[in-house]
Amino acid sequence: MPTEPVAVIDFETTGLNPAWGDRPTEVAIAVVQGDAIVDRYQSLMNPGRPIPHDVQQLTGITDRMVADAPPVATVMREAARFVGGLPLVAHNAPFDRKFWEMELARLGEQPQPAFACTLLLARRVYPQAPNHRLGTLIDLLRLPRAGRAHRAMADAEMAGHLWMRIRDDVRQRFGVREAGHGFFMRLQKVPKAKVDRFCRDGG
DNA sequence: TGCCAGGCCCTCTTTAGGGCCTT
């Protein structure tokens, strides 16, 4: 049976919280199936507000770059159509989820509730890591760096590789045969001290 | 072009505080 596909998503934004008026400036989605990234979507978008200088420096996305980009609503409609009904994955998922849900709500679309988090999973599967930032985990696990960090497609692809590695390590380490998105949604909520037993019992 | 969060998780905890992680 082929592994179920998931959509790994990453936003670049004008800031940390849509409740402050922050909007996305770029989105990327990498569809992971089996051991490969099989499809991609990426677009800059015009957030309709200035990007703070420190954020421009962090992401490399400038006001000039988004000035001629399509508006957020256009890009988010395309992104939602691209994702379809696939279960979603992100690194520090609460951050991407709140932008995803806020922007889809503006369009009157229903967001998917299932959002797995590679940060929560990595804390459980790699407790020995010096920290659990995406870049640190990529280097620690010797996974491919996909491009400039803090650009959406590079981060989405790196999170995709991390997702595949976590999935494979859990399956091998604990002998879990069919660990799909639903299994990892449950695993990310299990207290760290109980992860071994949860995995050995098959979730 | 600055200021603003919030969920998770650990511990010198649980009537709390602070670090991590995302842009």
Side-chain angles (χ1 to χ4, degrees):
Chain A
M1 181 187 291
T3 307
E4 64 170 343
V6 298
V8 186
I9 191 166
D10 186 80
F11 281 106
E12 304 305 321
T13 70
T14 62
L16 291 174
N17 194 338
W20 303 332
D22 288 319
R23 305 291 302 278
T25 57
E26 186 179 45
V27 64
I29 301 155
V31 177
V32 170
Q33 185 162 26
D35 296 325
I37 293 170
V38 297
D39 205 358
R40 293 170 175 81
Y41 174 87
Q42 179 273 331
S43 182
L44 286 168
M45 55 191 121
N46 187 333
R49 61 173 294 173
I51 304 170
H53 182 69
D54 60 333
V55 179
Q56 293 192 41
Q57 293 218 309
L58 175 73
T59 64
I61 298 172
T62 64
D63 287 330
R64 194 172 175 180
M65 289 167 67
V66 298
D68 296 326
V72 172
T74 302
V75 174
M76 290 302 298
R77 272 198 194 90
E78 286 183 358
R81 199 175 309 129
F82 181 84
V83 169
L86 292 179
L88 287 157
V89 174
H91 194 70
N92 197 21
F95 174 82
D96 295 282
R97 187 179 62 212
K98 62 189 176 186
F99 281 94
W100 180 251
E101 291 179 348
M102 177 75 81
E103 296 300 341
L104 290 190
R106 284 170 179 259
L107 299 175
E109 297 204 20
Q110 194 69 27
Q112 292 91 327
F115 233 109
C117 179
T118 51
L119 170 62
L120 292 183
L121 291 167
R123 281 178 175 159
R124 285 160 175 76
V125 180
Y126 311 115
Q128 78 283 5
N131 61 62
H132 296 86
R133 292 175 203 151
L134 182 57
T136 301
L137 292 165
I138 292 298
D139 291 340
L140 178 73
L141 300 169
R142 301 187 180 187
L143 298 170
R145 278 198 172 268
R148 186 195 195 283
H150 298 296
R151 285 301 298 268
M153 183 49 81
D155 284 2
E157 288 196 16
M158 288 191 287
H161 286 292
L162 177 59
W163 168 260
M164 288 186 264
R165 178 62 180 269
I166 290 171
R167 184 198 62 198
D168 292 348
D169 282 347
V170 166
R171 285 174 175 173
Q172 283 195 3
R173 194 186 306 174
F174 300 105
V176 180
R177 276 192 184 177
E178 285 302 324
H181 188 270
F183 174 89
F184 289 105
M185 288 292 293
R186 296 192 299 278
L187 176 60
Q188 71 188 18
K189 295 175 185 171
V190 173
K192 287 173 74 174
K194 296 183 178 176
V195 164
D196 283 8
R197 197 170 70 184
F198 175 87
C199 289
R200 270 194 287 272
D201 291 346

